[in-house]
Amino acid sequence: MKPALFDHVAPASIADAVAALAGHPGAMVIAGGQSLLPAMNFRLATPPALIDISRIAELKTLTVTDRAVVVGAMVRHRTVELDPAVARAQPLLAAALAHVAHVPIRNRGTVVGSLCHADASAEMPLLLLLTDGHMVVAGPTGRRTIAAADFFRFHLTTSRAADEIALEAHFPVLPAGAGWAFEEVARRSGDFALASVGVIVERAADGTARKVAIAAGGIASRPIRLTEAENALLGTTLNDETVELAAQAAAAAVTAPGDIHASAPCAASWWRRSSARPSPPHATAPPPPDRDRRRPPPARTAPPPQPPGSDRPTEEDGPDDPDPKEDGPRNIR
Amino acid sequence: MIPTRKKTALATSADPRRSVTLTVNGESVTREVSVRMLLSDFLRHELGLTGTHVGCEHGVCGACTVHVDGHSARSCLSLVVALDGAEVRTIESVASEDGTLHPLQEAFHACHALQCGYCTPGMIMAILDHLESDRPLDLSDEGVRELLSGNLCRCTGYANIIEAVRLAAARMSLTVEA
C-alpha cells in the first residue's frame, strides 16, 4: 500500500510543466492527487514520474464571468463548492460537488483533476457535458480547446493527449430563468454514483420547454447526454406524461454492466425512478443553493407507473434490497 | 487506471529524495525524504507523531485525517514532497500543552464516543474542520451523519459520536443552522 518508485518534478510554470511532461515518457500529471494517489498506493498506477502542477500559480485561479465559471487546474473542489459567485452563476456546481467524496477529499482534490480522471460515474464530467462546457489544454504545439462532447471517450479515458496538460475547465453559466436539478443514487454518502442525472430546462413564454439538457453518469462507459429523453421533453409543458416518457427514454439508455452494487436491470429501475421526478426542484429562477441540504434519495419517492412491457417489479429492487449479480470491476476514489 | 495498467518497466530503480520544510503543529520541520513518502508515514515514522492512524491507505476510512493549510485532508493521499511550505496540524496539537482536552475531545469522553479508539484521531480532525469553520453547522441527524460520513468507525455504531458532535457544538456556542 505504498506507491512504487517514481520521480517527482514540480515545475513553476505551464511551459516548464509541458516541457517536463515531454521529457519524462510515461509520466502522469498530478494536481490534488485524490484519485491518482489511491491508484498509486494500490499500484494500479505506476508512473515513472509525476509532473506536480501544484506550484503553478496561474492554475490556481477561479473566475466567474457573465458567460462561464472558469476553473483553473489547481482549484480545489471545496473552493468551487463554497464560492458564492459560483453558486449564483452556476448553482449545479455546488449541488453536484456536495456528492463528490467527502469534505477532506474535496479539500484537496481538484475539479479539473476529476475531469481528466474521467471516471464514468463521477459528477464533474457529467456537469461539463450537461452545461456544454469545454476544456483548455496545453501541449508542445500550443493550446487547444476541447468541447465536453469530444473530451470524454471512455471510462478513465479522455481526448487529452499524453503530452498535454489540462489548464482549465469552462462551465457555462446557468441561463437566466432556467430550471435545474441534480440527483444521484449511491450506496453510501460520498461513494461513486450508481446513477446520477443533471437537468437544465429553459422554458418559452408559453411555458413549453424550448431547450432541454439532460446528462447522466454511471450508466454507460462515460457520461452521456440523454438525447431521446431531451427530445421527449422539448416543446412540451413537462406534464406527468411527457416526464414519464423522458424517464423511459432515460432508462433505455443504461448500458453499464451490473456489478456488486446493482444488477443492470436494478440500476435501470433506480435510474427511471430517479429521472421521473414530478418536476424539477428548481423550476424557476434558481435560489442560492444551500450546500448542506441533501435532497432525499430518489428511491424514497413514490415509484412511477411501470412502462408497458416492463417485468421488473419496482419494490423488490430498491436500494434496501440489493440484487447483486456479479462482481464487476469497481473503481477506487 | 486502465491506461497505466499494462506493466511498464519502472524508468527508475533509484529512490529520488528531496529536502522538504513544513510546519507541523506550529514547529518548522526540515527533512530529506523519498518523493514517494506519504504524509501519514512522514508523521508517524519521521516525526514519531503516531496519533495519526493509518487504516486503509486509499482515502476511504478517514483514520489518517489531519489538517493541511487549515483544512481536513487525508494524510495517506498526500505526498510530503508536494507539501513543501505547507502547514500541517495533527491530533497531538488539539489538547492544550497542559493536557486540558479540547471541548470536542471532552465531548467524546463525556458521550462515550469511542471504544477501541482507532478511528478517533481522524474523527476529531475531520469534525474540527467543521467546528472551526464560520459556516453554520447543520446538527440535524442527516447533517451530522453527513459530516461524519468520511470517517469509518467499526465499534460504536456512530450514535454516541453524533451526540458528541452536538455536545461539543453546544459547549463551544457555535452557530447552528435553523
Side-chain angles (χ1 to χ4, degrees):
Chain A
M1 299 295 284
K2 312 288 180 195
L5 295 170
F6 60 87
D7 200 359
H8 182 267
V9 188
S13 72
I14 293 170
D16 286 354
V18 170
L21 191 56
H24 292 80
M28 293 181 79
V29 179
I30 188 166
Q34 302 299 288
S35 297
L36 181 53
L37 280 174
M40 289 176 66
N41 283 359
F42 272 122
R43 303 202 178 187
L44 292 171
T46 54
L50 290 182
I51 312 302
D52 180 348
I53 58 172
S54 65
R55 313 238 164 245
I56 304 177
E58 56 195 300
L59 296 181
K60 295 179 184 176
T61 50
L62 171 63
T63 317
V64 181
T65 71
D66 50 8
R67 297 181 60 187
V69 175
V70 183
V71 186
M74 274 314 302
V75 177
R76 320 251 180 209
H77 281 129
R78 191 72 170 157
T79 307
V80 179
E81 182 187 355
L82 298 179
D83 190 284
V86 171
R88 282 190 297 273
Q90 183 44 279
L92 272 156
L93 270 167
L97 278 164
H99 294 273
V100 175
H102 308 286
V103 170
I105 306 278
R106 299 206 290 274
N107 281 336
R108 302 305 295 172
T110 64
V111 168
V112 171
S114 175
L115 291 165
C116 290
H117 186 59
D119 190 289
S121 51
E123 292 81 3
M124 291 300 99
L126 183 162
L127 220 57
L128 196 74
L129 192 67
L130 175 68
T131 58
D132 287 317
H134 65 265
M135 303 289 288
V136 177
V137 303
T141 56
R143 297 186 182 195
R144 65 182 179 121
T145 294
I146 310 174
D150 302 322
F151 189 67
F152 304 106
R153 288 275 174 83
F154 190 72
H155 186 52
L156 308 183
T157 309
T158 70
S159 53
R160 178 178 67 96
D163 60 357
E164 288 178 319
I165 293 175
L167 304 182
E168 58 195 30
H170 290 240
F171 294 90
V173 300
L174 189 74
W180 61 274
F182 184 88
E183 294 282 351
E184 175 167 324
V185 178
R187 280 286 186 201
R188 293 164 292 252
S189 168
D191 273 15
F192 274 106
L194 297 176
S196 54
V197 58
V199 183
I200 299 175
V201 177
E202 293 176 63
R203 295 203 201 207
D206 65 359
T208 57
R210 65 177 177 83
K211 215 172 165 192
V212 180
I214 309 177
I219 65 165
S221 62
R222 56 179 173 170
I224 53 171
R225 283 286 286 267
L226 301 176
T227 314
E228 293 200 6
E230 291 173 354
N231 290 339
L233 296 177
L234 260 183
T236 75
T237 53
L238 306 180
N239 58 31
D240 289 352
E241 196 182 334
T242 53
V243 169
E244 175 58 25
L245 283 174
Q248 287 176 27
V254 176
T255 57
D259 65 13
I260 191 170
H261 297 282
S263 67
C266 170
S269 166
W270 291 350
W271 171 239
R272 261 190 73 264
R273 280 188 262 171
S274 158
S275 309
R277 304 281 296 191
S279 62
H282 306 275
T284 53
D290 167 359
R291 63 185 51 83
D292 288 330
R293 173 201 54 212
R294 304 298 294 258
R295 296 191 195 92
R300 285 188 212 148
T301 63
Q306 281 295 296
S310 165
D311 56 1
R312 295 290 306 180
T314 52
E315 288 310 312
E316 279 74 14
D317 54 9
D320 293 325
D321 185 8
D323 184 13
K325 285 272 162 55
E326 52 197 288
D327 191 347
R330 286 305 294 171
N331 319 302
I332 50 174
R333 177 76 68 171
Chain B
M1 303 301 294
I2 287 166
T4 57
R5 224 175 197 167
K6 49 179 183 280
K7 285 275 181 192
T8 47
L10 290 175
T12 171
S13 57
D15 187 3
R17 299 174 76 81
R18 303 275 189 278
S19 175
V20 293
T21 299
L22 54 167
T23 306
V24 179
N25 297 335
E27 270 181 53
S28 179
V29 177
T30 300
R31 290 282 192 287
E32 196 188 274
V33 297
S34 163
V35 299
R36 66 170 169 165
M37 178 166 271
L38 304 170
L39 177 61
S40 46
D41 290 338
F42 180 77
L43 293 170
R44 293 175 56 85
H45 303 165
E46 290 287 325
L47 305 184
L49 296 172
T50 52
T52 298
H53 291 170
V54 172
C56 71
E57 283 196 314
H58 65 288
V60 170
C61 77
C64 73
T65 304
V66 298
H67 287 197
V68 174
D69 292 333
H71 292 289
S72 59
R74 301 287 201 241
S75 59
C76 76
L77 297 187
S78 307
L79 295 171
V80 185
V81 69
L83 294 178
D84 195 31
E87 193 164 315
V88 175
R89 181 177 167 211
T90 71
I91 187 68
E92 282 85 355
S93 74
V94 174
S96 308
E97 274 188 24
D98 66 5
T100 309
L101 294 182
H102 184 279
L104 179 59
Q105 292 172 310
E106 284 277 7
F108 263 62
H109 183 233
C111 297
H112 197 72
L114 63 147
Q115 289 178 31
C116 86
Y118 200 82
C119 71
T120 311
M123 285 275 182
I124 298 275
M125 299 313 286
I127 298 165
L128 265 188
D129 191 6
H130 294 270
L131 298 186
E132 292 173 349
S133 146
D134 49 12
R135 286 183 310 280
L137 280 170
D138 177 0
L139 293 183
S140 66
D141 281 357
E142 199 184 13
V144 182
R145 283 174 183 277
E146 172 63 26
L147 185 155
L148 298 174
S149 65
N151 291 70
L152 300 182
C153 172
R154 300 280 94 142
C155 302
T156 62
Y158 303 98
N160 291 352
I161 301 178
I162 292 168
E163 282 317 300
V165 172
R166 290 188 173 128
L167 179 62
R171 287 185 177 169
M172 294 168 73
S173 309
L174 298 176
T175 314
V176 172
E177 259 183 27

